[in-house]
Amino acid sequence: MITGNRALYEQVILEHNKTPRNFREIEDADRKVEGYNPLCGDHFTIFVKLDGDTIADISFSGKGCAISKASASLMTAMLKGKPKSEAETLFNRLHDLVTSNPDDPVDEKALGKLQVFSGVREYPVRIKCATLAWHALAAAFEGKEEVSTE
Amino acid sequence: MTLTQHGEETETAAQARPFTPPEVAAIRRDFPILQTLRAGKPLVYLDNAATSQKPLAVIDATTQYYESENANVHRGIHALSERATEVFEGAREDVRRFINAGRVSEIVFTRGTTESINLVAQSYGRQNVGPGDEVLLTTMEHHSNIVPWQMLCNERGAVLRVAPINEAGEVDMEAFRGLLSEKTKIVAVTHVSNALGTVNPIKEMVRLAHGVGAAALVDGAQAAPHMPVDVADLDCDFYALSAHKMFGPTGMGVLYGKEALLDAMPPYQGGGDMILSVTFEKTTYNKLPHKFEAGTPNIAGAAGLGAAVRYLENLDRRRIAAYERELLEHGAETLEQVPGLSFIGTAAEKAGVISFQLADVHPHDIGQLLNEENIAVRAGHHCAQPTMERFGVAATSRASFAFYNTKEEFDALADALGKVRELFA
C-alpha cells in the first residue's frame, strides 16, 4: 500500500512539506547560505538574523523533496529564539539518528520532533535530503555562502 | 518465443503487427528477472532507458563463453582461442547486419555509447576541429553527447553551438539549419532523447550536416532497443550504441564509422591488438576495426551483445516498434487521467519514454513511493540537465518501457500515482 509507507513519510513530514514554517526570505539577514544537492537538484537558501549569540529569526526558501523541505521547516521552527549552539547540538543528534542502525532505539526525548526522520535510516540515499538544510546552516555559521552535499 | 526472421525482412513498419498479449506473456518468460517478486509484488520495471533487462539467451551466451569458450582473441594457435575469436568476430557480423553497415571493418567495439562518442571526439575531433570551428548539438543531448565535445572545443579553441528545442521537445529545425555553416565540422545529435522520448528526424539532419561539409554523429543508445536502425539509409558518419540498453551486457558498446573516415583517423588508445608491429622506433597500426581496439576486449560482452542482436531480430524490430507505439499511446492516455499529472516531452514522434510531473510532488518522493509497489521508475535529471533547464524543472519522473512491458503495468503505475497524489494533497 502506498499510504502504508509511514516509516518514511510520517504525517509530520507530509504536513511540514505541505505547509512549511518560516518559508520566506529575510531581507536584512546576517547570514545567508545556499544548500545544494546536485544529485537530486534540491536547492535551499537559509536566512539567519542574529541577536548576539541568539538566533533571533531564521527562515528558508527554495525547492526540494518532502524529506528535505520538512527537515528545513522543522529546523527553523525548532531553532528560532535559541542560542546558536543549539543548532550544532540538534544537527549532531539528527545526524546520529539518520546514520544509525534501523533497529537501534530512538532517543525520543533528546530528538523531539526530529524523531520523525527515524524512517530515513532504512533509506541511506535519503540521508542527504534529511540533513541538507542543517549542513547549510552549519556552513552559514562558519561564514560560507554555499554548501554542496555531493 | 520463436518467430521467423523473415518477418523482419519483408514487412514494413506500417504493416507490422503489434505483439498480442499471449505473445508478450511468452516474451516475458524469456526474462528471468521479470519472474521475481519483492514482498509478494511482481516487478513493474519501467526504467529501461537507464538499462534494460536481459533475456536468457544473453545470459546463457555470456555463461557459455566463460564455461566452454574462454580464451584470448586474435592470438592463440590453440582451438579455444580460435573459438573465442569466432564468438567475438561473429558478434561483430551480428552488429553489422543489425544496423545495416556495409562492412565489419566499420564496427568498432567499445565500452559503450559514452566511449564511442569520446573516441570520435578525441580522434576525429582533434584531427578535424580547429580554432574558430564549430560543433553543433541540440538542447536535448545526454551529458555523454555534450561533455566530450565541450572538452574538445576547449582544447581546440572551437565553439559549441546548440540547436534549441520547442515546447513539445522537438528540435527547432529552422534554428538547426540557421546554425549550420562552413564553420561547422561536426554535428552530434541523439536519435531518441533519453529524457523526453523524442525521435529526431535524423536522416534530414544528417543530410543538412553534409550540406555544409560537416560529419554527423548519431547517439543511438535509446534508438537501438526500440526500432530498426539502418546506418546506410541514414547516411550518418558515426553511430554509437550501448549493449546494456538493448538487452545485452553492461560495459559493451559499438561505434559504427564510415570506413574512409575511420581509416584516416589516428588511434584512440595504444596497446596490444591495435598494432601490427612494434619497435621502439616505429609502430605500425593494425587494420580496421582493430586499430581502435587496444587491449584484450570484452569478449563475454561481445558474446552477449551478439545474442541480444539475434534475439531482437528474431522478435522482429518492426513488430517491437508497432507494439511499443500501442504501449506509448495507452500509457499516455492512462497517465493523463491522473489528477495533477503533466507530461514533459510531447513530440509527435516519440519512443520508449514518458517523462512527467505530478503536481508539486518531488520526483524523488514519487520514485520512493512507487518503489513500495515494486514499480521502478527513474527520478532525476536523467543526465540531461540542459534539457531539464529548458523546461524549467530540476527533475522529472520517467517511465521508460520496452517490448516486455504491458498495458496493465501502465494501469498499475497510474493507480499508484493517484495514491501518491492523495498522500501529498
Side-chain angles (χ1 to χ4, degrees), chain A residues 12 48 75 82 84 87 101 106 127:
Chain A
V12 173
V48 183
M75 178 181 84
K82 298 281 163 57
K84 270 166 72 179
N101 192 303
V106 174
I127 292 172

Side-chain angles (χ1 to χ4, degrees), chain B residues 365-376:
Chain B
D365 295 320
I366 296 172
Q368 185 98 51
L369 288 159
L370 292 179
N371 181 55
E372 294 295 301
E373 299 285 286
N374 208 9
I375 299 174

Side-chain angles (χ1 to χ4, degrees), chain B residues 251-296:
Chain B
M252 184 68 203
V254 173
L255 172 68
Y256 157 80
K258 283 182 180 168
E259 192 175 47
L261 294 177
L262 291 177
D263 246 339
M265 284 158 57
Y268 171 53
Q269 294 178 329
D273 232 26
M274 55 76 73
I275 51 84
L276 287 177
S277 70
V278 176
T279 67
F280 283 113
E281 288 72 38
K282 182 176 167 51
T283 290
T284 312
Y285 302 132
N286 204 341
K287 60 187 193 322
L288 292 176
H290 311 293
K291 182 172 90 177
F292 293 105
E293 295 177 357
T296 295

Side-chain angles (χ1 to χ4, degrees), chain B residues 178-313:
Chain B
L179 284 163
L180 285 167
S181 72
E182 74 282 357
K183 288 187 199 162
T184 315
K185 296 298 176 239
I186 298 172
V187 173
V189 56
T190 193
H191 197 162
V192 175
S193 156
N194 75 305
L196 307 170
T198 310
V199 182
N200 279 318
I202 288 298
K203 196 173 171 179
E204 172 68 359
M205 295 172 100
V206 170
R207 196 184 65 79
L208 291 167
H210 288 168
V212 296
L217 175 141
V218 182
D219 170 356
Q222 299 293 341
H226 299 297
M227 60 187 71
V229 172
D230 186 335
V231 293
D233 180 55
L234 294 176
D235 195 31
C236 55
D237 301 290
F238 301 103
Y239 197 94
L241 56 83
S242 295
H244 77 98
K245 301 221 195 258
M246 46 175 281
F247 318 99
T250 54
M252 184 68 203
V254 173
L255 172 68
Y256 157 80
K258 283 182 180 168
E259 192 175 47
L261 294 177
L262 291 177
D263 246 339
M265 284 158 57
Y268 171 53
Q269 294 178 329
D273 232 26
M274 55 76 73
I275 51 84
L276 287 177
S277 70
V278 176
T279 67
F280 283 113
E281 288 72 38
K282 182 176 167 51
T283 290
T284 312
Y285 302 132
N286 204 341
K287 60 187 193 322
L288 292 176
H290 311 293
K291 182 172 90 177
F292 293 105
E293 295 177 357
T296 295
N298 184 355
I299 309 167
L305 172 58
V309 161
R310 294 189 299 275
Y311 182 83
L312 287 170
E313 286 175 336

